[in-house]
Amino acid sequence: MENMLQTAQGYAFSAYEIALAWLIDPANWVQFALLVAAYLLAVVITKKLNPKLLQVLTPAEGNDTILAKVRRFVLLFLPLLLPLLAFGLTAIGEQVTRSIFGSGEVIAFGKRVFLFLAVRTFARDMLTDPLLKMLGKMVLVPLAAFYALGFLEPLLGWLEATIVPLGNMSFSLLGLLRFLVVASVMFWLGRWSNDQSATMIHKQEMRPATRQLAAKAAEIAIFGVAFLVAMNIAGIPLSSLAVLTGALGVGIGFGLQKIASNFVSGVILLLEGQATVGDYVELDGGEAGTIVKMTARAAILETYDGKWIVVPNEDFIVTRVVNYSDSGSANRYDVSFSVSYDTDINKVPDIVGPAVAALDFVLSDPEEPDVELDGFGDSGIDFVVEFWVEGIDDGKNKYRSHVRFAIWNALKDAGIEIPFPQRVVEIKGGFPQQSE
């Protein structure tokens, strides 16, 4: 117990001597004074510059030019002005103290603290993407804190010396951390570049299928380049991925052949353009709807009642598909009706045809509404009227329902009877006689 007290007293005495030497050293007081002066000067300059910079960098509302976007981007860095200005001024003060006194540890520590504050402000207030924000809080801010305390070099040395074995490969913790950071940043850059390229491609005047194919090709190229760059920066040799790619090839050959087939089918669909976003299609299996999205694996059909059907791309290649809007032309529909046998059927086309043609959605090109005699039924004479419309009778556009209303009203106004089923019952031998 006595030895422990003596050891503690020795540490306390050493700390007292260090503190006393620091306090009586004029160089330390000069450094501290310069540190405070640099911070106060940074505050004054920031208060004067902020309003002017805000006025210069803020574009007018609705201005979406490239220069306006650059000004908005630079404006995001305005919160960093104070800590970075203080960092720069303390760096000048450090050079002054080192040239005069030959030391500058105090002001150097303050300089590192200002850099830490800048990093913390950047991670907390400027990063809006969830992935980058998490990366800043989990990696960037702790590294800046270790740097401010002077522990960054020992930490990096320990991470470099700690090896993690992984099969026939091995990585240091520093290399693994570097890969995670670089991969996250490259993934974010790839996603941002993909959004920008997709926006630019969709503004071009080209067929929808071509736009979709160009967007997919740009997405694959961007993320492929991002992956290769991340592997190169992290120091991972691409030859070490040979085993992984070989296993992936075997997996595609056996378990993933359907996924590969759907991917290839999707590329074929985009190249040929026989079915693309916005088309109303009906598949051999009975699925029908408007294509609202095409992915690498499947197409999403939206039915008229709002349901979404996921159809594998392969079904568009190996089965029969009816595309009602592939050519962009009008579509023909027909509606059947009947009149009684007492009707002068020669008048029916002149009555029904104009009534259907008067509807605002019925087209006169490529053909006027055509009324045809369809047959002689059990209860009446059957007719069919054929008409053309620009669109699909998919439940939202009730073309055939409106045509049936027009036929009914036209026949009623002309006094023509629409028959209903009638049956003649013959009783052989007459009615039985009631006995008295």
Side-chain angles (χ1 to χ4, degrees):
M1 184 67 179
E2 187 175 348
N3 292 334
M4 292 178 61
L5 288 175
Q6 290 178 354
T7 304
Q9 289 176 356
Y11 284 131
F13 183 73
S14 298
Y16 170 75
E17 287 184 338
I18 294 173
L20 184 61
W22 189 90
L23 289 173
I24 63 176
D25 189 355
N28 294 331
W29 285 102
V30 171
Q31 293 179 58
F32 185 75
L34 287 175
L35 183 63
V36 174
Y39 177 73
L40 294 177
L41 182 59
V43 170
V44 173
I45 295 175
T46 302
K47 285 185 177 180
K48 291 185 176 296
L49 280 181
N50 264 341
K52 296 180 180 179
L53 291 176
L54 192 63
Q55 183 179 3
V56 172
L57 295 175
T58 303
E61 288 199 15
N63 188 355
D64 291 330
T65 62
I66 297 178
L67 181 59
K69 292 180 180 179
V70 172
R71 290 165 64 187
R72 290 191 183 97
F73 179 74
V74 175
L75 192 61
L76 296 176
F77 292 87
L78 201 58
L80 297 180
L81 181 61
L82 176 60
L84 290 181
L85 191 58
F87 174 82
L89 293 174
T90 51
I92 297 174
E94 181 186 2
Q95 296 298 323
V96 173
T97 56
R98 289 191 184 276
S99 62
I100 296 176
F101 299 103
S103 63
E105 289 76 11
V106 175
I107 197 169
F109 174 74
K111 181 183 71 173
R112 295 196 298 268
V113 169
F114 288 138
L115 183 60
F116 166 76
L117 294 176
V119 171
R120 191 187 66 170
T121 302
F122 176 74
R124 183 188 60 191
D125 301 333
M126 298 179 58
L127 295 179
T128 56
D129 185 83
L131 176 63
L132 294 182
K133 200 173 189 68
M134 182 190 69
L135 192 65
K137 288 183 177 180
M138 301 296 293
V139 178
L140 199 58
V141 173
L143 287 178
F146 277 106
Y147 174 73
L149 296 174
F151 298 148
L152 184 59
E153 291 296 331
L155 175 65
L156 294 180
W158 179 78
L159 291 175
E160 183 68 32
T162 305
I163 304 299
V164 178
L166 185 63
N168 61 346
M169 299 181 292
S170 60
F171 304 95
S172 66
L173 284 180
L174 182 61
L176 187 60
L177 180 64
R178 187 189 301 120
F179 173 75
L180 291 176
V181 172
V182 172
S184 300
V185 173
M186 294 306 299
F187 176 78
W188 178 83
L189 285 174
R191 189 174 60 183
W192 179 82
S193 302
N194 181 58
D195 293 340
Q196 299 301 315
S197 63
T199 302
M200 183 182 66
I201 289 172
H202 285 296
K203 289 181 179 178
Q204 305 301 317
E205 295 183 1
M206 56 179 71
R207 295 174 59 250
T210 306
R211 283 200 301 264
Q212 199 80 3
L213 180 61
K216 288 295 179 185
E219 180 180 0
I220 294 173
I222 288 171
F223 282 104
V225 171
F227 174 76
L228 294 178
V229 171
M231 296 291 289
N232 188 33
I233 294 177
I236 300 176
L238 298 179
S239 58
S240 62
L241 299 178
V243 177
L244 179 62
T245 54
L248 183 62
V250 174
I252 292 176
F254 289 96
L256 303 179
Q257 55 182 340
K258 276 291 183 182
I259 296 178
S261 174
N262 285 319
F263 177 78
V264 174
S265 299
V267 174
I268 294 174
L269 284 174
L270 293 174
L271 284 173
E272 294 183 349
Q274 294 179 356
T276 186
V277 175
D279 288 353
Y280 186 88
V281 297
E282 182 178 348
L283 276 70
D284 212 16
E287 301 90 350
T290 303
I291 301 177
V292 294
K293 185 178 182 181
M294 296 188 72
T295 66
R297 187 188 66 84
I300 311 297
L301 305 185
E302 183 178 10
T303 62
Y304 69 90
D305 53 357
K307 295 183 177 67
W308 278 23
I309 304 175
V310 181
V311 181
N313 290 330
E314 188 181 18
D315 290 357
F316 286 88
I317 302 298
V318 300
T319 61
R320 184 179 66 91
V321 179
V322 180
N323 192 336
Y324 289 91
S325 41
D326 176 57
S327 62
S329 61
N331 295 287
R332 190 185 72 171
Y333 292 95
D334 58 72
V335 171
S336 301
F337 64 96
S338 299
V339 297
S340 68
Y341 276 97
D342 296 332
T343 305
D344 184 0
I345 61 175
N346 296 303
K347 297 180 179 179
V348 172
D350 296 332
I351 295 172
V352 174
V356 175
L359 297 174
D360 56 357
F361 57 83
V362 176
L363 303 177
S364 58
D365 184 33
E367 189 179 350
E368 294 277 357
D370 183 27
V371 181
E372 299 177 357
L373 180 62
D374 195 41
F376 301 98
D378 295 335
S379 302
I381 303 175
D382 299 328
F383 283 87
V384 61
V385 56
E386 298 173 346
F387 58 95
W388 291 81
V389 296
E390 188 71 51
I392 307 297
D393 192 345
D394 56 356
K396 297 177 182 178
N397 302 316
K398 301 177 178 63
Y399 297 135
R400 282 174 288 201
S401 175
H402 294 311
V403 168
R404 290 187 181 101
F405 272 105
I407 293 173
W408 173 275
N409 294 327
L411 293 179
K412 281 296 183 182
D413 292 342
I416 297 177
E417 179 184 354
I418 298 178
F420 51 87
Q422 301 180 21
R423 297 290 182 268
V424 177
V425 179
E426 179 182 354
I427 301 176
K428 293 186 177 181
F431 289 98
Q433 300 291 328
Q434 185 177 4
S435 59
E436 296 182 359

